[in-house]
PDB file of all heavy atoms in Angstrom:
ATOM      1  N   GLN A  96      70.912 144.291 149.169  1.00 94.00           N
ATOM      2  CA  GLN A  96      69.937 144.071 150.244  1.00 94.00           C
ATOM      3  C   GLN A  96      68.645 144.825 149.948  1.00 94.00           C
ATOM      4  O   GLN A  96      67.547 144.312 150.165  1.00 94.00           O
ATOM      5  CB  GLN A  96      70.514 144.531 151.584  1.00 94.00           C
ATOM      6  CG  GLN A  96      71.599 143.632 152.135  1.00 94.00           C
ATOM      7  CD  GLN A  96      72.272 144.239 153.354  1.00 94.00           C
ATOM      8  OE1 GLN A  96      72.444 145.457 153.458  1.00 94.00           O
ATOM      9  NE2 GLN A  96      72.671 143.377 154.289  1.00 94.00           N
ATOM     10  N   PHE A  97      68.794 146.049 149.449  1.00 93.00           N
ATOM     11  CA  PHE A  97      67.603 146.833 149.107  1.00 93.00           C
ATOM     12  C   PHE A  97      66.815 146.159 147.991  1.00 93.00           C
ATOM     13  O   PHE A  97      65.596 146.047 148.067  1.00 93.00           O
ATOM     14  CB  PHE A  97      67.994 148.254 148.684  1.00 93.00           C
ATOM     15  CG  PHE A  97      66.823 149.046 148.193  1.00 93.00           C
ATOM     16  CD1 PHE A  97      65.926 149.613 149.082  1.00 93.00           C
ATOM     17  CD2 PHE A  97      66.587 149.194 146.827  1.00 93.00           C
ATOM     18  CE1 PHE A  97      64.820 150.315 148.633  1.00 93.00           C
ATOM     19  CE2 PHE A  97      65.489 149.893 146.371  1.00 93.00           C
ATOM     20  CZ  PHE A  97      64.611 150.458 147.274  1.00 93.00           C
ATOM     21  N   ARG A  98      67.505 145.700 146.964  1.00 94.00           N
ATOM     22  CA  ARG A  98      66.821 145.040 145.849  1.00 94.00           C
ATOM     23  C   ARG A  98      66.086 143.788 146.323  1.00 94.00           C
ATOM     24  O   ARG A  98      64.957 143.527 145.902  1.00 94.00           O
ATOM     25  CB  ARG A  98      67.813 144.686 144.756  1.00 94.00           C
ATOM     26  CG  ARG A  98      68.261 145.876 143.960  1.00 94.00           C
ATOM     27  CD  ARG A  98      69.181 145.468 142.830  1.00 94.00           C
ATOM     28  NE  ARG A  98      69.562 146.643 142.054  1.00 94.00           N
ATOM     29  CZ  ARG A  98      70.714 146.790 141.460  1.00 94.00           C
ATOM     30  NH1 ARG A  98      71.617 145.838 141.506  1.00 94.00           N
ATOM     31  NH2 ARG A  98      70.978 147.881 140.782  1.00 94.00           N
ATOM     32  N   THR A  99      66.709 143.012 147.199  1.00 94.00           N
ATOM     33  CA  THR A  99      66.088 141.796 147.717  1.00 94.00           C
ATOM     34  C   THR A  99      64.839 142.137 148.526  1.00 94.00           C
ATOM     35  O   THR A  99      63.772 141.540 148.339  1.00 94.00           O
ATOM     36  CB  THR A  99      67.081 140.999 148.580  1.00 94.00           C
ATOM     37  OG1 THR A  99      68.222 140.672 147.780  1.00 94.00           O
ATOM     38  CG2 THR A  99      66.451 139.736 149.138  1.00 94.00           C
ATOM     39  N   ALA A 100      64.968 143.108 149.435  1.00 93.00           N
ATOM     40  CA  ALA A 100      63.835 143.517 150.268  1.00 93.00           C
ATOM     41  C   ALA A 100      62.732 144.114 149.407  1.00 93.00           C
ATOM     42  O   ALA A 100      61.542 143.830 149.609  1.00 93.00           O
ATOM     43  CB  ALA A 100      64.297 144.511 151.321  1.00 93.00           C
ATOM     44  N   ASN A 101      63.104 144.925 148.437  1.00 94.00           N
ATOM     45  CA  ASN A 101      62.123 145.566 147.567  1.00 94.00           C
ATOM     46  C   ASN A 101      61.365 144.523 146.745  1.00 94.00           C
ATOM     47  O   ASN A 101      60.154 144.631 146.556  1.00 94.00           O
ATOM     48  CB  ASN A 101      62.827 146.568 146.652  1.00 94.00           C
ATOM     49  CG  ASN A 101      61.852 147.493 145.973  1.00 94.00           C
ATOM     50  OD1 ASN A 101      60.930 147.997 146.597  1.00 94.00           O
ATOM     51  ND2 ASN A 101      62.054 147.718 144.678  1.00 94.00           N
ATOM     52  N   LYS A 102      62.065 143.498 146.269  1.00 94.00           N
ATOM     53  CA  LYS A 102      61.409 142.439 145.504  1.00 94.00           C
ATOM     54  C   LYS A 102      60.387 141.715 146.361  1.00 94.00           C
ATOM     55  O   LYS A 102      59.271 141.438 145.918  1.00 94.00           O
ATOM     56  CB  LYS A 102      62.432 141.448 144.955  1.00 94.00           C
ATOM     57  CG  LYS A 102      61.792 140.354 144.109  1.00 94.00           C
ATOM     58  CD  LYS A 102      62.793 139.360 143.624  1.00 94.00           C
ATOM     59  CE  LYS A 102      62.204 138.253 142.789  1.00 94.00           C
ATOM     60  NZ  LYS A 102      60.872 137.828 143.067  1.00 94.00           N
ATOM     61  N   ARG A 103      60.739 141.420 147.616  1.00 94.00           N
ATOM     62  CA  ARG A 103      59.790 140.741 148.514  1.00 94.00           C
ATOM     63  C   ARG A 103      58.554 141.604 148.749  1.00 94.00           C
ATOM     64  O   ARG A 103      57.422 141.106 148.723  1.00 94.00           O
ATOM     65  CB  ARG A 103      60.452 140.421 149.860  1.00 94.00           C
ATOM     66  CG  ARG A 103      61.274 139.168 149.849  1.00 94.00           C
ATOM     67  CD  ARG A 103      61.598 138.732 151.254  1.00 94.00           C
ATOM     68  NE  ARG A 103      62.301 139.785 151.975  1.00 94.00           N
ATOM     69  CZ  ARG A 103      63.514 139.677 152.494  1.00 94.00           C
ATOM     70  NH1 ARG A 103      64.164 138.553 152.410  1.00 94.00           N
ATOM     71  NH2 ARG A 103      64.062 140.684 153.123  1.00 94.00           N
ATOM     72  N   VAL A 104      58.761 142.876 148.969  1.00 95.00           N
ATOM     73  CA  VAL A 104      57.633 143.786 149.205  1.00 95.00           C
ATOM     74  C   VAL A 104      56.750 143.872 147.959  1.00 95.00           C
ATOM     75  O   VAL A 104      55.519 143.804 148.053  1.00 95.00           O
ATOM     76  CB  VAL A 104      58.138 145.187 149.627  1.00 95.00           C
ATOM     77  CG1 VAL A 104      57.015 146.206 149.598  1.00 95.00           C
ATOM     78  CG2 VAL A 104      58.773 145.129 151.001  1.00 95.00           C
ATOM     79  N   LEU A 105      57.357 144.000 146.792  1.00 94.00           N
ATOM     80  CA  LEU A 105      56.574 144.093 145.560  1.00 94.00           C
ATOM     81  C   LEU A 105      55.831 142.790 145.262  1.00 94.00           C
ATOM     82  O   LEU A 105      54.689 142.820 144.786  1.00 94.00           O
ATOM     83  CB  LEU A 105      57.471 144.480 144.385  1.00 94.00           C
ATOM     84  CG  LEU A 105      58.016 145.916 144.431  1.00 94.00           C
ATOM     85  CD1 LEU A 105      58.990 146.154 143.286  1.00 94.00           C
ATOM     86  CD2 LEU A 105      56.899 146.939 144.418  1.00 94.00           C
ATOM     87  N   ASP A 106      56.454 141.637 145.553  1.00 93.00           N
ATOM     88  CA  ASP A 106      55.774 140.355 145.367  1.00 93.00           C
ATOM     89  C   ASP A 106      54.560 140.260 146.280  1.00 93.00           C
ATOM     90  O   ASP A 106      53.474 139.843 145.867  1.00 93.00           O
ATOM     91  CB  ASP A 106      56.725 139.186 145.647  1.00 93.00           C
ATOM     92  CG  ASP A 106      57.781 139.014 144.567  1.00 93.00           C
ATOM     93  OD1 ASP A 106      57.645 139.622 143.489  1.00 93.00           O
ATOM     94  OD2 ASP A 106      58.762 138.279 144.824  1.00 93.00           O
ATOM     95  N   ARG A 107      54.737 140.656 147.538  1.00 93.00           N
ATOM     96  CA  ARG A 107      53.629 140.606 148.501  1.00 93.00           C
ATOM     97  C   ARG A 107      52.526 141.567 148.088  1.00 93.00           C
ATOM     98  O   ARG A 107      51.338 141.264 148.187  1.00 93.00           O
ATOM     99  CB  ARG A 107      54.131 140.930 149.914  1.00 93.00           C
ATOM    100  CG  ARG A 107      53.072 140.884 150.970  1.00 93.00           C
ATOM    101  CD  ARG A 107      52.552 139.471 151.173  1.00 93.00           C
ATOM    102  NE  ARG A 107      51.573 139.468 152.248  1.00 93.00           N
ATOM    103  CZ  ARG A 107      50.438 138.824 152.214  1.00 93.00           C
ATOM    104  NH1 ARG A 107      50.135 138.069 151.186  1.00 93.00           N
ATOM    105  NH2 ARG A 107      49.601 138.897 153.219  1.00 93.00           N
ATOM    106  N   LEU A 108      52.903 142.737 147.622  1.00 91.00           N
ATOM    107  CA  LEU A 108      51.919 143.715 147.156  1.00 91.00           C
ATOM    108  C   LEU A 108      51.101 143.144 146.006  1.00 91.00           C
ATOM    109  O   LEU A 108      49.879 143.299 145.957  1.00 91.00           O
ATOM    110  CB  LEU A 108      52.620 145.002 146.726  1.00 91.00           C
ATOM    111  CG  LEU A 108      51.727 146.121 146.193  1.00 91.00           C
ATOM    112  CD1 LEU A 108      50.727 146.573 147.249  1.00 91.00           C
ATOM    113  CD2 LEU A 108      52.574 147.293 145.731  1.00 91.00           C
ATOM    114  N   GLY A 109      51.763 142.452 145.083  1.00 90.00           N
ATOM    115  CA  GLY A 109      51.056 141.822 143.973  1.00 90.00           C
ATOM    116  C   GLY A 109      50.063 140.778 144.452  1.00 90.00           C
ATOM    117  O   GLY A 109      48.941 140.685 143.942  1.00 90.00           O
ATOM    118  N   GLU A 110      50.460 139.980 145.453  1.00 88.00           N
ATOM    119  CA  GLU A 110      49.549 138.973 146.023  1.00 88.00           C
ATOM    120  C   GLU A 110      48.322 139.637 146.633  1.00 88.00           C
ATOM    121  O   GLU A 110      47.187 139.194 146.421  1.00 88.00           O
ATOM    122  CB  GLU A 110      50.265 138.159 147.097  1.00 88.00           C
ATOM    123  CG  GLU A 110      51.350 137.246 146.585  1.00 88.00           C
ATOM    124  CD  GLU A 110      52.166 136.635 147.721  1.00 88.00           C
ATOM    125  OE1 GLU A 110      51.750 136.750 148.900  1.00 88.00           O
ATOM    126  OE2 GLU A 110      53.214 136.050 147.425  1.00 88.00           O
ATOM    127  N   LEU A 111      48.546 140.708 147.399  1.00 86.00           N
ATOM    128  CA  LEU A 111      47.428 141.398 148.050  1.00 86.00           C
ATOM    129  C   LEU A 111      46.508 142.053 147.035  1.00 86.00           C
ATOM    130  O   LEU A 111      45.283 142.026 147.183  1.00 86.00           O
ATOM    131  CB  LEU A 111      47.960 142.429 149.046  1.00 86.00           C
ATOM    132  CG  LEU A 111      48.677 141.851 150.256  1.00 86.00           C
ATOM    133  CD1 LEU A 111      49.303 142.960 151.089  1.00 86.00           C
ATOM    134  CD2 LEU A 111      47.737 141.010 151.101  1.00 86.00           C
ATOM    135  N   GLU A 112      47.073 142.645 146.003  1.00 83.00           N
ATOM    136  CA  GLU A 112      46.247 143.258 144.961  1.00 83.00           C
ATOM    137  C   GLU A 112      45.397 142.210 144.256  1.00 83.00           C
ATOM    138  O   GLU A 112      44.236 142.455 143.928  1.00 83.00           O
ATOM    139  CB  GLU A 112      47.121 144.012 143.964  1.00 83.00           C
ATOM    140  CG  GLU A 112      47.687 145.305 144.522  1.00 83.00           C
ATOM    141  CD  GLU A 112      48.661 145.995 143.585  1.00 83.00           C
ATOM    142  OE1 GLU A 112      49.218 145.326 142.674  1.00 83.00           O
ATOM    143  OE2 GLU A 112      48.884 147.201 143.766  1.00 83.00           O
ATOM    144  N   ALA A 113      45.960 141.023 144.037  1.00 82.00           N
ATOM    145  CA  ALA A 113      45.204 139.944 143.399  1.00 82.00           C
ATOM    146  C   ALA A 113      44.061 139.483 144.296  1.00 82.00           C
ATOM    147  O   ALA A 113      42.951 139.212 143.822  1.00 82.00           O
ATOM    148  CB  ALA A 113      46.128 138.771 143.077  1.00 82.00           C
ATOM    149  N   GLN A 114      44.317 139.410 145.603  1.00 78.00           N
ATOM    150  CA  GLN A 114      43.260 139.026 146.547  1.00 78.00           C
ATOM    151  C   GLN A 114      42.139 140.051 146.552  1.00 78.00           C
ATOM    152  O   GLN A 114      40.960 139.699 146.551  1.00 78.00           O
ATOM    153  CB  GLN A 114      43.819 138.886 147.969  1.00 78.00           C
ATOM    154  CG  GLN A 114      44.572 137.621 148.218  1.00 78.00           C
ATOM    155  CD  GLN A 114      45.084 137.558 149.656  1.00 78.00           C
ATOM    156  OE1 GLN A 114      45.290 138.571 150.308  1.00 78.00           O
ATOM    157  NE2 GLN A 114      45.288 136.348 150.132  1.00 78.00           N
ATOM    158  N   ILE A 115      42.501 141.315 146.565  1.00 77.00           N
ATOM    159  CA  ILE A 115      41.497 142.384 146.576  1.00 77.00           C
ATOM    160  C   ILE A 115      40.672 142.344 145.288  1.00 77.00           C
ATOM    161  O   ILE A 115      39.449 142.453 145.322  1.00 77.00           O
ATOM    162  CB  ILE A 115      42.169 143.758 146.770  1.00 77.00           C
ATOM    163  CG1 ILE A 115      42.714 143.870 148.191  1.00 77.00           C
ATOM    164  CG2 ILE A 115      41.195 144.897 146.466  1.00 77.00           C
ATOM    165  CD1 ILE A 115      43.614 145.067 148.418  1.00 77.00           C
ATOM    166  N   ALA A 116      41.334 142.159 144.166  1.00 73.00           N
ATOM    167  CA  ALA A 116      40.619 142.100 142.883  1.00 73.00           C
ATOM    168  C   ALA A 116      39.677 140.896 142.857  1.00 73.00           C
ATOM    169  O   ALA A 116      38.545 140.999 142.388  1.00 73.00           O
ATOM    170  CB  ALA A 116      41.614 142.024 141.734  1.00 73.00           C
ATOM    171  N   GLY A 117      40.122 139.773 143.376  1.00 69.00           N
ATOM    172  CA  GLY A 117      39.283 138.578 143.408  1.00 69.00           C
ATOM    173  C   GLY A 117      38.104 138.726 144.334  1.00 69.00           C
ATOM    174  O   GLY A 117      37.006 138.249 144.053  1.00 69.00           O
ATOM    175  N   ALA A 118      38.306 139.407 145.453  1.00 67.00           N
ATOM    176  CA  ALA A 118      37.219 139.588 146.413  1.00 67.00           C
ATOM    177  C   ALA A 118      36.123 140.473 145.844  1.00 67.00           C
ATOM    178  O   ALA A 118      34.947 140.270 146.123  1.00 67.00           O
ATOM    179  CB  ALA A 118      37.762 140.191 147.711  1.00 67.00           C
ATOM    180  N   GLY A 119      36.500 141.438 145.041  1.00 62.00           N
ATOM    181  CA  GLY A 119      35.505 142.343 144.479  1.00 62.00           C
ATOM    182  C   GLY A 119      34.711 141.747 143.333  1.00 62.00           C
ATOM    183  O   GLY A 119      33.642 142.232 143.003  1.00 62.00           O
ATOM    184  N   SER A 120      35.206 140.676 142.743  1.00 61.00           N
ATOM    185  CA  SER A 120      34.529 140.134 141.574  1.00 61.00           C
ATOM    186  C   SER A 120      33.452 139.109 141.910  1.00 61.00           C
ATOM    187  O   SER A 120      32.601 138.820 141.093  1.00 61.00           O
ATOM    188  CB  SER A 120      35.561 139.499 140.634  1.00 61.00           C
ATOM    189  OG  SER A 120      36.160 138.381 141.253  1.00 61.00           O
ATOM    190  N   ALA A 121      33.499 138.545 143.108  1.00 69.00           N
ATOM    191  CA  ALA A 121      32.526 137.520 143.491  1.00 69.00           C
ATOM    192  C   ALA A 121      31.307 138.170 144.142  1.00 69.00           C
ATOM    193  O   ALA A 121      31.440 139.051 144.984  1.00 69.00           O
ATOM    194  CB  ALA A 121      33.164 136.525 144.449  1.00 69.00           C
ATOM    195  N   SER A 122      30.144 137.733 143.740  1.00 77.00           N
ATOM    196  CA  SER A 122      28.920 138.243 144.334  1.00 77.00           C
ATOM    197  C   SER A 122      28.749 137.657 145.726  1.00 77.00           C
ATOM    198  O   SER A 122      28.976 136.465 145.937  1.00 77.00           O
ATOM    199  CB  SER A 122      27.719 137.847 143.482  1.00 77.00           C
ATOM    200  OG  SER A 122      26.522 138.078 144.184  1.00 77.00           O
ATOM    201  N   PRO A 123      28.317 138.459 146.696  1.00 77.00           N
ATOM    202  CA  PRO A 123      28.083 137.913 148.027  1.00 77.00           C
ATOM    203  C   PRO A 123      26.957 136.892 148.032  1.00 77.00           C
ATOM    204  O   PRO A 123      26.853 136.071 148.931  1.00 77.00           O
ATOM    205  CB  PRO A 123      27.728 139.139 148.877  1.00 77.00           C
ATOM    206  CG  PRO A 123      27.350 140.193 147.913  1.00 77.00           C
ATOM    207  CD  PRO A 123      28.066 139.882 146.634  1.00 77.00           C
ATOM    208  N   LEU A 124      26.124 136.915 146.997  1.00 81.00           N
ATOM    209  CA  LEU A 124      24.993 135.991 146.936  1.00 81.00           C
ATOM    210  C   LEU A 124      25.347 134.653 146.296  1.00 81.00           C
ATOM    211  O   LEU A 124      24.472 133.814 146.103  1.00 81.00           O
ATOM    212  CB  LEU A 124      23.825 136.653 146.207  1.00 81.00           C
ATOM    213  CG  LEU A 124      23.308 137.932 146.865  1.00 81.00           C
ATOM    214  CD1 LEU A 124      22.150 138.497 146.079  1.00 81.00           C
ATOM    215  CD2 LEU A 124      22.923 137.687 148.298  1.00 81.00           C
ATOM    216  N   ALA A 125      26.617 134.440 145.995  1.00 81.00           N
ATOM    217  CA  ALA A 125      27.042 133.169 145.407  1.00 81.00           C
ATOM    218  C   ALA A 125      26.785 132.003 146.359  1.00 81.00           C
ATOM    219  O   ALA A 125      26.752 130.852 145.933  1.00 81.00           O
ATOM    220  CB  ALA A 125      28.520 133.237 145.043  1.00 81.00           C
ATOM    221  N   ILE A 126      26.546 132.295 147.623  1.00 83.00           N
ATOM    222  CA  ILE A 126      26.280 131.250 148.612  1.00 83.00           C
ATOM    223  C   ILE A 126      25.043 130.430 148.243  1.00 83.00           C
ATOM    224  O   ILE A 126      24.954 129.250 148.592  1.00 83.00           O
ATOM    225  CB  ILE A 126      26.145 131.843 150.031  1.00 83.00           C
ATOM    226  CG1 ILE A 126      26.114 130.730 151.083  1.00 83.00           C
ATOM    227  CG2 ILE A 126      24.939 132.740 150.140  1.00 83.00           C
ATOM    228  CD1 ILE A 126      26.160 131.217 152.518  1.00 83.00           C
ATOM    229  N   VAL A 127      24.102 131.018 147.537  1.00 82.00           N
ATOM    230  CA  VAL A 127      22.872 130.281 147.204  1.00 82.00           C
ATOM    231  C   VAL A 127      23.145 129.106 146.274  1.00 82.00           C
ATOM    232  O   VAL A 127      22.339 128.189 146.186  1.00 82.00           O
ATOM    233  CB  VAL A 127      21.776 131.197 146.599  1.00 82.00           C
ATOM    234  CG1 VAL A 127      21.361 132.274 147.572  1.00 82.00           C
ATOM    235  CG2 VAL A 127      22.242 131.804 145.294  1.00 82.00           C
ATOM    236  N   ALA A 128      24.283 129.121 145.595  1.00 85.00           N
ATOM    237  CA  ALA A 128      24.643 128.018 144.710  1.00 85.00           C
ATOM    238  C   ALA A 128      25.320 126.876 145.472  1.00 85.00           C
ATOM    239  O   ALA A 128      25.541 125.813 144.902  1.00 85.00           O
ATOM    240  CB  ALA A 128      25.566 128.516 143.608  1.00 85.00           C
ATOM    241  N   ALA A 129      25.606 127.097 146.750  1.00 86.00           N
ATOM    242  CA  ALA A 129      26.282 126.066 147.541  1.00 86.00           C
ATOM    243  C   ALA A 129      25.348 124.872 147.746  1.00 86.00           C
ATOM    244  O   ALA A 129      24.129 125.026 147.869  1.00 86.00           O
ATOM    245  CB  ALA A 129      26.713 126.626 148.887  1.00 86.00           C
ATOM    246  N   GLU A 130      25.931 123.698 147.791  1.00 90.00           N
ATOM    247  CA  GLU A 130      25.138 122.485 148.006  1.00 90.00           C
ATOM    248  C   GLU A 130      24.516 122.491 149.405  1.00 90.00           C
ATOM    249  O   GLU A 130      23.367 122.113 149.583  1.00 90.00           O
ATOM    250  CB  GLU A 130      26.028 121.256 147.823  1.00 90.00           C
ATOM    251  CG  GLU A 130      25.244 119.972 147.727  1.00 90.00           C
ATOM    252  CD  GLU A 130      26.123 118.825 147.272  1.00 90.00           C
ATOM    253  OE1 GLU A 130      26.829 118.972 146.266  1.00 90.00           O
ATOM    254  OE2 GLU A 130      26.070 117.785 147.943  1.00 90.00           O
ATOM    255  N   ASP A 131      25.296 122.928 150.388  1.00 92.00           N
ATOM    256  CA  ASP A 131      24.814 123.014 151.773  1.00 92.00           C
ATOM    257  C   ASP A 131      25.027 124.444 152.254  1.00 92.00           C
ATOM    258  O   ASP A 131      26.103 124.802 152.718  1.00 92.00           O
ATOM    259  CB  ASP A 131      25.562 122.020 152.657  1.00 92.00           C
ATOM    260  CG  ASP A 131      25.023 121.960 154.087  1.00 92.00           C
ATOM    261  OD1 ASP A 131      24.176 122.813 154.452  1.00 92.00           O
ATOM    262  OD2 ASP A 131      25.446 121.065 154.836  1.00 92.00           O
ATOM    263  N   VAL A 132      23.991 125.273 152.110  1.00 92.00           N
ATOM    264  CA  VAL A 132      24.094 126.692 152.439  1.00 92.00           C
ATOM    265  C   VAL A 132      24.447 126.890 153.907  1.00 92.00           C
ATOM    266  O   VAL A 132      25.301 127.710 154.250  1.00 92.00           O
ATOM    267  CB  VAL A 132      22.792 127.444 152.076  1.00 92.00           C
ATOM    268  CG1 VAL A 132      22.842 128.891 152.544  1.00 92.00           C
ATOM    269  CG2 VAL A 132      22.553 127.373 150.572  1.00 92.00           C
ATOM    270  N   ARG A 133      23.820 126.139 154.788  1.00 93.00           N
ATOM    271  CA  ARG A 133      24.077 126.282 156.223  1.00 93.00           C
ATOM    272  C   ARG A 133      25.546 125.993 156.552  1.00 93.00           C
ATOM    273  O   ARG A 133      26.188 126.745 157.287  1.00 93.00           O
ATOM    274  CB  ARG A 133      23.168 125.369 157.035  1.00 93.00           C
ATOM    275  CG  ARG A 133      23.284 125.574 158.533  1.00 93.00           C
ATOM    276  CD  ARG A 133      22.334 124.661 159.293  1.00 93.00           C
ATOM    277  NE  ARG A 133      20.958 124.864 158.875  1.00 93.00           N
ATOM    278  CZ  ARG A 133      20.037 125.499 159.587  1.00 93.00           C
ATOM    279  NH1 ARG A 133      20.331 125.959 160.776  1.00 93.00           N
ATOM    280  NH2 ARG A 133      18.822 125.649 159.125  1.00 93.00           N
ATOM    281  N   ALA A 134      26.097 124.944 156.001  1.00 93.00           N
ATOM    282  CA  ALA A 134      27.497 124.592 156.255  1.00 93.00           C
ATOM    283  C   ALA A 134      28.427 125.644 155.665  1.00 93.00           C
ATOM    284  O   ALA A 134      29.434 126.017 156.279  1.00 93.00           O
ATOM    285  CB  ALA A 134      27.812 123.220 155.684  1.00 93.00           C
ATOM    286  N   THR A 135      28.076 126.139 154.480  1.00 91.00           N
ATOM    287  CA  THR A 135      28.899 127.168 153.849  1.00 91.00           C
ATOM    288  C   THR A 135      28.878 128.447 154.674  1.00 91.00           C
ATOM    289  O   THR A 135      29.905 129.089 154.864  1.00 91.00           O
ATOM    290  CB  THR A 135      28.401 127.453 152.416  1.00 91.00           C
ATOM    291  OG1 THR A 135      28.426 126.234 151.678  1.00 91.00           O
ATOM    292  CG2 THR A 135      29.261 128.480 151.722  1.00 91.00           C
ATOM    293  N   TRP A 136      27.705 128.819 155.181  1.00 93.00           N
ATOM    294  CA  TRP A 136      27.575 130.005 156.024  1.00 93.00           C
ATOM    295  C   TRP A 136      28.513 129.925 157.228  1.00 93.00           C
ATOM    296  O   TRP A 136      29.144 130.900 157.601  1.00 93.00           O
ATOM    297  CB  TRP A 136      26.130 130.160 156.477  1.00 93.00           C
ATOM    298  CG  TRP A 136      25.884 131.319 157.399  1.00 93.00           C
ATOM    299  CD1 TRP A 136      25.845 131.292 158.756  1.00 93.00           C
ATOM    300  CD2 TRP A 136      25.645 132.683 157.023  1.00 93.00           C
ATOM    301  NE1 TRP A 136      25.586 132.552 159.247  1.00 93.00           N
ATOM    302  CE2 TRP A 136      25.465 133.427 158.201  1.00 93.00           C
ATOM    303  CE3 TRP A 136      25.569 133.336 155.798  1.00 93.00           C
ATOM    304  CZ2 TRP A 136      25.224 134.787 158.195  1.00 93.00           C
ATOM    305  CZ3 TRP A 136      25.312 134.695 155.791  1.00 93.00           C
ATOM    306  CH2 TRP A 136      25.143 135.405 156.984  1.00 93.00           C
ATOM    307  N   GLN A 137      28.612 128.756 157.814  1.00 94.00           N
ATOM    308  CA  GLN A 137      29.464 128.574 158.995  1.00 94.00           C
ATOM    309  C   GLN A 137      30.940 128.815 158.687  1.00 94.00           C
ATOM    310  O   GLN A 137      31.705 129.175 159.577  1.00 94.00           O
ATOM    311  CB  GLN A 137      29.281 127.167 159.580  1.00 94.00           C
ATOM    312  CG  GLN A 137      27.893 126.879 160.111  1.00 94.00           C
ATOM    313  CD  GLN A 137      27.476 127.827 161.224  1.00 94.00           C
ATOM    314  OE1 GLN A 137      28.260 128.159 162.099  1.00 94.00           O
ATOM    315  NE2 GLN A 137      26.238 128.285 161.169  1.00 94.00           N
TER     316      GLN A 137
END
């Protein structure tokens, strides 16, 4: 039971770390490349 629970926690941790790493790599100004800036802003 511990191994099963620990695997789920570690898998989720990996997902969150990947999200954090991805969020830090994108420039906030990438919106200017959007075809419709106003719609993207929304």
Side-chain angles (χ1 to χ4, degrees):
Q96 288 172 325
F97 174 78
R98 285 183 178 148
T99 301
N101 194 44
K102 182 182 180 329
R103 278 194 302 240
V104 168
L105 291 175
D106 288 347
R107 181 67 177 137
L108 179 61
E110 291 171 12
L111 293 173
E112 287 175 340
Q114 282 180 335
I115 290 169
S120 65
S122 167
L124 300 181
I126 190 173
V127 299
E130 193 169 310
D131 185 351
V132 174
R133 186 179 303 254
T135 303
W136 178 264
Q137 296 300 319

